[in-house]
Amino acid sequence: MKYETVIGLEVHTELKTESKIFCGCSTRFGAEQNTNVCPVCLGLPGVLPVLNEKVVEFAIRTGLALNCTIAPFSKFDRKNYYYPDLPKNFQTSQYDLPIAINGYLDIAVNGETKRIGITRVHMEEDAGKLVHAGTIAKSDYALVDYNRTGVPLLEIVSEPDIRSPEEAKAYLEKLKTILQYIDVSDCKMEEGSLRCDANISLRPAGSTKLGTKTEIKNLNSFRSVQRGLEYEVLRQTEVLEEGGRIIQETRSWDENRGITVSLRSKEHAHDYRYFPEPDLIPIVTDEKRIQAIRESLPELPDARKARLMRDYGLSGYDAEVITASRAMADFFDAAVSLGSDPKATANWLMGDMSRMLNAAGLSVEEAPVTPAKLAGLLALISKGTISGKIAKTVFEQMWETGKDAETIVTEQGMVQISDEGAIIAVIDAVIAANPQSVADYRAGKEQALGFLVGQVMKQTKGRANPQLANKLLKERI
Amino acid sequence: MSLYAKTIRELNDKLKQKEISAVEIVEAALRRIDAVETRIGAFRTVTSDSALAQAKAVDAKIGRGEPISPLAGIPGAIKDNICTFGVPTTCGSKILAQFVPPYNATVMDRLAAKDAVIIGKTNMDEFAMGSSTENSAFGTTRNPWHTAYVPGGSSGGSAAAVAAGEAIWALGSDTGGSIRQPAAYCGVVGLKPTYGRVSRYGLVAYASSLDQIGPITRDVTDCALVLNAIAGYDPQDSTSVKADAPDFTAALAAGVKGLKVGIPREYFSPGLSDNVRAAAQDAIKRLTAQGAEIIEVSMPHTEYALSAYYLIATAEASSNLARYDGVGYGHRGSGNDIIAMYKKTRTEGFGEEVRRRIMLGTYALSSGYYDAYYLKALKVRTLVKRDFDRAFEQVDVLLTPTTPTQAFRVGEKVNDPLAMYLEDVLTVPINLAGIPAISVPCGLADGMPVGVQFIGKPLDEATILRAAYALEQSGEWQNRIAPAGEV
Amino acid sequence: MKITRKDVEHVALLSRLEMGEAESEKFTGQLNAILDYVEVLNKVDTTGIEPTAHVLPLKNIMRPDETRPSLPRDLALANAPEQEDGYFKVPKIMEG
């Protein structure tokens, strides 16, 4: 039988606030264990939470960027369960009245746009970190670090609109882009500031009834989202093909073994016993505040991509790549506003710039070549001061020295030779030194000309204007 | 009269007149503790050294001619569920037997700012769950009027300490009557402020939507003085009310002429003892004599309040007490894996009543029962609150007995949880509505105190204090020290 | 509604409490007595009545996003039953 895959994603993202959601402890990642803790986030007897206003602002920003309705009345609830990373043994979260509901985001799959529904966005506190001696199954004790406890999280839940692991990855990438655009999260999957769980089920193609789902946890990179879900599709297909039944359960993706494994619960039914958090006061949001936050949102990726295509004639692909990161798109806009040719700018960003960033492991903001410097380089090319080929060398030197293009070109005498006399002198020498090639060309071998031009460029250390050299060479032979 | 038997106001006057020193007051209280504590058992911890040091600092201040606050140098006792930096805070529970808070409750910081002296931490029903102080893991506190009787609870240690002269004033906490009921049983004044009037930051939670810290004192004036020191907005408590706390002593003596006093008929049900009924009627008579207008009112949902209270309080408690798991602090039982450790810790660490309430609350919130129990209780809470709103359209304060009966004997109700819960029937509606109420002594009957309760509008502690003051001044009960087992 | 022994044992598990035979029997009886008592709530018509989770008419109580000093680590760990290398130490964790 042919099956259709049905996936919904639950994404947790840590918000980039200074302080935790309910206390004044720092949210800084990487501090020594149990140093960013206080009575409140340690859940000591007698403490009370006070909500960080920035968390609400970020949650509303996110809700609006994901086309959600912002709840006029929202509240916190307690989700009760025992786990040692949770000092109070309840998580302060939101249950029936989340801050934002009913949104969507669009993803591009196989050149087409597909809309994925967002069920809800809610605020909650993160849990602490457990360190196990060896593996969780084998160690006989665990160590607990509460630094992360109380770091603000948003949980973003999608509708089961995703139909393949590739779509799941595209959804997650798009979500990350949006969260970075609106500047609410660093979205560093490797630091755990973006985490993903998936609900996945199969159903016979054409059926509208949902099959039994499994929940996949520990999908902690874009790669593992795709691989984990691909594995789970295969596993469920096999079970169904063999006439078996899918068991509703939680499974964990094991990156090393490349499989999902069942997390058999010793305590059977979970019963979270949600109830309104009596220590926190409801959040009431009026239209005025929503409007003010809406107006503060930056241009979002989809709108920006459309503008780049419309105003600068970029291809859909180029515009997609440039706008996939807000920093890259900002770089692009800055360079173009300084007079750079949009298409050339895009090519440089997607080519040499991306290559150098990857090699150095830097983000766009950290690049030693700024928009102004790239614009300077492109201006030298368009004026004919340097050739495109020399420009690559100049770019590398700009990267290494931080100097601007003009300085490098001047210091090293890289200015293009466009003086016909000077070029002719070189051409004549090349002709004299390569009689065979000259003869070949005359006999109709077009490739020979390329060799001769190459020789001219070599003699001038690449500085001869290539078009001019080509033209003059043809005339002289 | 020994210094320990005086009121805050009297002692403050003597300090200002330099007739006595703060050290002398504290020494008098410590001697009294030495004399009676073995029979009363009001304290968990007596902080003699720090109390004397605080007193010395106050004496130095007086010596320098600096002004002092009304509480300066006056020793008070703190219920052992209010966190005190560096001083054990056990909540009457084995699970917190070794717990030493690394922080102060907001009320402790406020008291320190007023130079109040803290003489110790008082015994209580474990996690404030109980009405007799028999549920403490560290022994039962006795009623200073007769040591075969309970002092009430859960703030039984605080009420007994004040009644016995071991402290001049005390703080208790009140979730369903835990200040007012022991105050009534011990013949002292106890006030539960409006929910949000006093910061809960640092009060170990029993039921967060109902808990309030309040004063226990020997007369109404002292009650106002202590409330002055602890009331006010606290940014660390999201449920703290952003309202200026007035000087609660200002209008005490304004009298009750023309004051509309409501008598809710449902609070005078057949369950009242004769002594209690007579005391309340005596109070009505005395208020009438002073020109108060007595108006009978009806509050039809009163009989449902206790049920709603027990469901809401235990539901919140089941979650609040989940944190006692042997991981970060407190008792840890042995277990090879985390779940075994949790179970051992909690079963060993909690007493039976606490476990019973955790079970009830967990059940009330659990899947399939939430709507029938917890949600239903929250809706009934709305109706109970509306009863008060309606009554206060007609009257300024309500007057009721504080408890259906007087103090009962130690051991009388320990095996009947429901009978113990019924002790709170006249006090819990006030917590559900979040409004203020004060219990004030109304004489002795058969040798044991009786109290009556004034209930006020939200944030209108001033009016119930004024009514209580008028009642106090018209009777013979002002600042009485219990014999504390001295025969 | 009657609470059964099985319910009591399930609730004990949710509450992380041990529940021996005798105690489970006793608690079942006592909880049933309490639940019988609270049955009185079913006499109240609460149709259209909003639940009261908070008595205060407050909204939007928040604090600015500012850091405050954390506890020194030795104080944070001072009450820990067991600790190691600045961590709280707990017995092995079963998944669940």
Side-chain angles (χ1 to χ4, degrees):
Chain A
M1 205 190 300
K2 198 161 163 31
Y3 294 102
E4 183 181 42
T5 305
V6 177
I7 298 170
L9 293 185
E10 287 175 14
V11 174
H12 288 92
T13 184
E14 284 185 352
L15 297 176
K16 49 193 273 192
T17 54
E18 291 296 317
S19 65
K20 293 185 178 182
I21 183 168
F22 298 127
C23 67
C25 286
S26 166
T27 56
R28 192 168 59 87
F29 180 79
E32 275 212 16
Q33 60 270 24
N34 293 310
T35 52
N36 288 345
V37 295
C38 73
V40 175
C41 57
L42 287 173
L44 292 189
V47 296
L48 297 171
V50 185
L51 179 59
N52 182 340
E53 65 186 7
K54 200 81 177 182
V55 174
V56 179
E57 186 194 320
F58 281 178
I60 295 174
R61 277 175 84 81
T62 305
L64 291 174
L66 297 175
N67 308 293
C68 290
T69 304
I70 304 303
F73 182 94
S74 182
K75 68 179 171 71
F76 281 95
D77 300 274
R78 292 185 183 178
K79 179 182 183 181
N80 295 285
Y81 65 97
Y82 285 83
Y83 210 66
D85 62 3
L86 204 58
K88 298 169 291 176
N89 288 319
F90 62 78
Q91 182 188 29
T92 304
S93 180
Q94 297 197 280
Y95 183 52
D96 56 340
L97 294 170
I99 187 76
I101 54 167
N102 292 340
Y104 62 82
L105 63 74
D106 291 334
I107 58 171
V109 271
N110 304 324
E112 283 182 30
T113 298
K114 178 168 178 178
R115 181 156 291 184
I116 308 293
I118 306 280
T119 315
R120 57 188 281 155
V121 176
H122 76 243
M123 301 174 276
E124 62 186 24
E125 58 183 343
D126 207 347
K129 270 198 171 150
L130 299 172
V131 182
H132 302 278
T135 66
I136 185 165
K138 286 177 191 141
S139 73
D140 54 4
Y141 67 92
L143 300 174
V144 196
D145 172 11
Y146 289 122
N147 280 348
R148 202 179 65 180
T149 305
V151 169
L153 284 182
L154 288 186
E155 180 174 325
I156 300 162
V157 183
S158 86
E159 290 287 300
D161 292 344
I162 299 167
R163 290 290 171 270
S164 69
E166 301 74 49
E167 285 185 21
K169 182 164 172 268
Y171 168 86
L172 192 60
E173 282 171 344
K174 185 60 171 286
L175 184 57
K176 175 181 170 176
T177 301
I178 292 171
L179 294 170
Q180 288 181 329
Y181 261 66
I182 61 176
D183 207 21
V184 299
S185 174
D186 290 330
C187 294
K188 290 182 179 161
M189 286 191 100
E190 68 284 4
E191 289 182 7
S193 66
L194 187 70
R195 307 196 282 270
C196 182
D197 301 333
N199 288 306
I200 175 167
S201 62
L202 300 186
R203 64 183 170 194
S207 166
T208 51
K209 216 175 124 232
L210 288 173
T212 305
K213 66 179 181 186
T214 56
E215 186 184 2
I216 313 299
K217 290 197 173 289
N218 205 27
L219 300 171
N220 291 333
S221 66
F222 290 102
R223 198 173 107 94
S224 58
V225 168
Q226 187 161 351
R227 284 184 67 211
L229 291 173
E230 279 167 356
Y231 172 83
E232 189 60 15
V233 171
L234 286 178
R235 189 191 70 84
Q236 291 193 11
T237 306
E238 239 168 63
V239 171
L240 294 171
E241 296 273 277
E242 289 166 5
R245 243 166 23 92
I246 303 298
I247 301 160
Q248 181 158 352
E249 62 181 351
T250 302
R251 301 178 67 86
S252 177
W253 168 243
D254 185 328
E255 180 78 42
N256 295 328
R257 291 153 74 198
I259 57 170
T260 63
V261 284
S262 175
L263 295 175
R264 248 175 280 280
S265 176
K266 196 181 177 194
E267 178 203 358
H268 306 293
H270 271 297
D271 184 346
Y272 292 128
R273 289 160 284 135
Y274 282 100
F275 74 103
E277 166 58 272
D279 291 328
L280 289 166
I281 293 298
I283 302 148
V284 175
T285 310
D286 60 19
E287 205 41 56
K288 214 176 114 203
R289 170 147 162 86
I290 294 170
Q291 198 48 38
I293 294 177
R294 196 190 300 277
E295 280 161 16
S296 77
L297 287 177
E299 185 183 33
L300 294 172
D302 287 345
R304 201 160 192 178
K305 178 183 167 189
R307 175 170 61 81
L308 264 48
M309 292 168 70
R310 186 184 65 234
D311 292 2
Y312 301 129
L314 295 193
S315 70
Y317 175 80
D318 288 1
E320 177 81 28
V321 174
I322 296 290
T323 57
S325 132
R326 181 178 174 181
M328 188 66 95
D330 286 347
F331 196 111
F332 173 87
D333 277 333
V336 169
S337 75
L338 293 168
S340 297
D341 174 64
K343 283 185 185 165
T345 306
N347 287 339
W348 275 90
L349 287 179
M350 292 160 63
D352 292 73
M353 182 78 165
S354 295
R355 182 174 54 81
M356 297 297 274
L357 287 173
N358 286 339
L362 295 177
S363 66
V364 182
E365 301 95 316
E366 295 163 327
V369 176
T370 61
K373 284 181 179 153
L374 182 66
L377 179 67
L378 296 188
L380 292 180
I381 301 171
S382 66
K383 277 192 289 188
T385 312
I386 55 171
S387 68
K389 186 152 189 281
I390 288 284
K392 286 180 180 292
T393 311
V394 176
F395 183 81
E396 281 174 17
Q397 292 195 21
M398 289 164 72
W399 191 278
E400 274 148 29
T401 62
K403 291 179 182 170
D404 60 35
E406 196 144 10
T407 310
I408 291 168
V409 167
T410 315
E411 278 176 3
Q412 305 190 22
M414 287 167 151
V415 176
Q416 185 160 268
I417 304 167
S418 299
D419 173 50
E420 292 201 4
I423 296 177
I424 286 169
V426 179
I427 286 175
D428 288 350
V430 168
I431 289 174
N434 298 281
Q436 187 58 48
S437 296
V438 174
D440 287 350
Y441 178 69
R442 284 182 179 145
K445 278 193 180 173
E446 283 288 325
Q447 311 95 297
L449 187 67
F451 172 77
L452 292 169
V453 173
Q455 291 303 304
V456 173
M457 295 310 285
K458 196 176 170 190
Q459 296 290 319
T460 57
K461 297 196 170 76
R463 290 164 57 212
N465 180 324
Q467 286 82 29
L468 199 56
N470 214 33
K471 179 178 147 255
L472 293 172
L473 194 60
K474 279 186 189 162
E475 287 171 10
R476 307 282 304 171
I477 295 177
Chain B
M1 189 158 73
S2 173
L3 291 179
Y4 69 75
K6 297 192 179 301
T7 63
I8 296 171
R9 164 89 121 231
E10 289 162 352
L11 293 168
N12 180 247
D13 283 345
K14 288 182 184 299
L15 283 175
K16 286 194 290 200
Q17 303 304 319
K18 300 189 182 177
E19 287 174 35
I20 54 168
S21 71
V23 168
E24 285 170 319
I25 303 173
V26 172
E27 282 172 348
L30 289 171
R31 278 196 304 274
R32 179 68 176 169
I33 292 172
D34 278 346
V36 306
E37 183 60 7
T38 50
R39 294 190 295 276
I40 304 302
F43 284 88
R44 284 288 315 122
T45 309
V46 176
T47 50
S48 331
D49 294 346
S50 61
L52 286 167
Q54 286 169 324
K56 269 184 201 136
V58 171
D59 286 336
K61 225 174 193 180
I62 296 169
R64 291 193 299 269
E66 292 173 31
I68 57 164
S69 87
L71 284 187
I74 317 287
I78 306 296
K79 189 177 182 179
D80 213 18
N81 61 350
I82 295 173
C83 283
T84 41
F85 193 154
V87 178
T89 300
T90 69
C91 292
S93 182
K94 182 178 170 189
I95 214 159
L96 286 179
Q98 311 299 325
F99 178 65
V100 181
Y103 79 104
N104 254 344
T106 298
V107 290
M108 297 314 298
D109 285 338
R110 284 178 180 260
L111 289 169
K114 302 281 182 197
D115 296 318
V117 171
I118 306 307
I119 202 162
K121 302 289 297 284
T122 57
N123 199 23
M124 56 183 283
D125 285 304
E126 186 177 4
F127 285 103
M129 296 178 182
S131 308
S132 67
T133 317
E134 292 166 292
N135 291 339
S136 168
F138 309 104
T140 301
T141 300
R142 302 291 172 144
N143 192 312
W145 290 93
H146 194 313
T147 55
Y149 287 75
V150 301
S154 64
S155 311
S158 285
V162 172
E166 296 176 275
I168 311 300
W169 57 274
L171 293 188
S173 70
D174 190 316
T175 307
S178 280
I179 287 174
R180 291 160 288 158
Q181 185 254 21
Y185 280 10
C186 292
V188 291
V189 176
L191 183 140
K192 183 205 90 78
T194 308
Y195 185 78
R197 179 64 104 177
V198 176
S199 170
R200 290 185 297 119
Y201 186 78
L203 169 66
V204 180
Y206 159 21
S208 315
S209 79
L210 303 161
D211 296 339
Q212 265 292 287
I213 293 173
I216 294 176
T217 57
R218 266 185 245 127
D219 72 10
V220 176
T221 306
D222 281 7
C223 184
L225 288 170
V226 177
L227 187 59
N228 276 350
I230 62 173
Y233 172 68
D234 177 14
Q236 292 202 90
D237 176 357
S238 307
T239 62
S240 174
V241 177
K242 279 185 187 164
D244 288 335
D247 174 1
F248 292 104
T249 62
L252 281 182
V256 292
K257 194 163 177 0
L259 190 76
K260 293 193 177 105
V261 179
I263 309 295
R265 91 169 65 92
E266 290 79 5
Y267 283 71
F268 289 79
S269 68
L272 293 192
S273 77
D274 292 345
N275 285 346
V276 166
R277 190 181 299 274
Q281 264 146 11
D282 174 55
I284 293 171
K285 211 165 67 192
R286 283 195 270 145
L287 292 170
T288 311
Q290 292 177 69
E293 187 184 340
I294 304 296
I295 300 165
E296 191 174 310
V297 295
S298 173
M299 308 185 61
H301 297 96
T302 304
E303 67 166 306
Y304 309 112
L306 190 68
S307 296
Y309 167 81
Y310 270 94
L311 292 171
I312 293 167
T314 57
E316 291 181 10
S318 72
S319 173
N320 284 332
L321 272 63
R323 73 190 64 199
Y324 306 106
D325 61 0
V327 172
Y329 45 82
H331 174 75
R332 174 183 289 188
S334 63
N336 289 331
D337 65 66
I338 191 90
I339 294 177
M341 186 278 276
Y342 282 159
K343 286 185 174 176
K344 189 64 84 183
T345 296
R346 293 168 59 78
T347 307
E348 289 173 354
F350 290 136
E352 188 178 316
E353 180 59 27
V354 172
R355 280 181 285 137
R356 186 160 39 239
R357 293 200 197 188
I358 289 173
M359 295 281 290
L360 178 61
T362 303
Y363 185 66
L365 287 176
S366 66
S367 169
Y369 301 101
Y370 181 92
D371 288 1
Y373 290 122
Y374 180 72
L375 189 61
K376 181 82 183 180
L378 290 188
K379 289 178 178 174
V380 171
R381 182 176 192 176
T382 305
L383 295 172
V384 170
K385 188 168 178 292
R386 279 189 198 168
D387 278 359
F388 282 106
D389 293 342
R390 289 215 183 93
F392 285 123
E393 286 168 11
Q394 295 177 61
V395 301
D396 302 312
V397 295
L398 295 163
L399 172 64
T400 75
T402 309
T403 54
T405 60
Q406 294 166 276
F408 48 91
R409 283 181 175 270
V410 171
E412 195 178 319
K413 297 187 181 182
V414 277
N415 291 317
D416 188 351
L418 195 54
M420 194 73 95
Y421 296 178
L422 287 167
E423 273 299 301
D424 301 333
V425 68
L426 304 178
T427 45
V428 295
I430 287 89
N431 298 77
L432 289 177
I435 54 183
I438 187 170
S439 178
V440 62
C442 202
L444 286 179
D446 298 330
M448 296 300 285
V450 195
V452 295
Q453 168 174 252
F454 288 101
I455 306 163
K457 298 175 188 173
L459 298 175
D460 194 15
E461 287 85 359
T463 303
I464 57 171
L465 282 162
R466 170 156 64 98
Y469 183 83
L471 187 67
E472 175 187 75
Q473 297 300 312
S474 69
E476 286 158 19
W477 191 290
Q478 288 152 31
N479 184 29
R480 288 220 203 155
I481 297 291
E486 288 168 342
V487 245
Chain C
M1 265 181 277
K2 271 270 179 250
I3 187 167
T4 63
R5 279 276 298 276
K6 208 170 148 245
D7 292 333
V8 166
E9 277 152 27
H10 175 68
V11 171
L13 179 63
L14 286 177
S15 313
R16 296 292 187 266
L17 292 170
E18 287 174 351
M19 193 56 61
E21 191 96 343
E23 187 156 55
S24 145
E25 186 81 51
K26 181 177 170 187
F27 270 32
T28 305
Q30 289 175 335
L31 292 177
N32 267 319
I34 297 165
L35 292 172
D36 280 348
Y37 179 81
V38 305
E39 279 295 306
V40 70
L41 293 181
N42 290 328
K43 292 203 301 185
V44 192
D45 182 4
T46 50
T47 319
I49 303 295
E50 284 294 312
T52 295
H54 287 96
V55 287
L56 297 166
L58 297 176
K59 60 179 187 186
N60 298 340
I61 303 297
M62 300 181 206
R63 63 178 179 83
D65 180 26
E66 287 162 6
T67 56
R68 288 171 49 150
S70 294
L71 282 179
R73 187 163 70 191
D74 54 347
L75 208 50
L77 285 157
N79 282 292
E82 233 186 311
Q83 53 175 292
E84 185 175 300
D85 295 338
Y87 290 97
F88 294 89
K89 188 175 175 183
V90 297
K92 74 173 168 214
I93 295 163
M94 321 293 278
E95 281 296 342

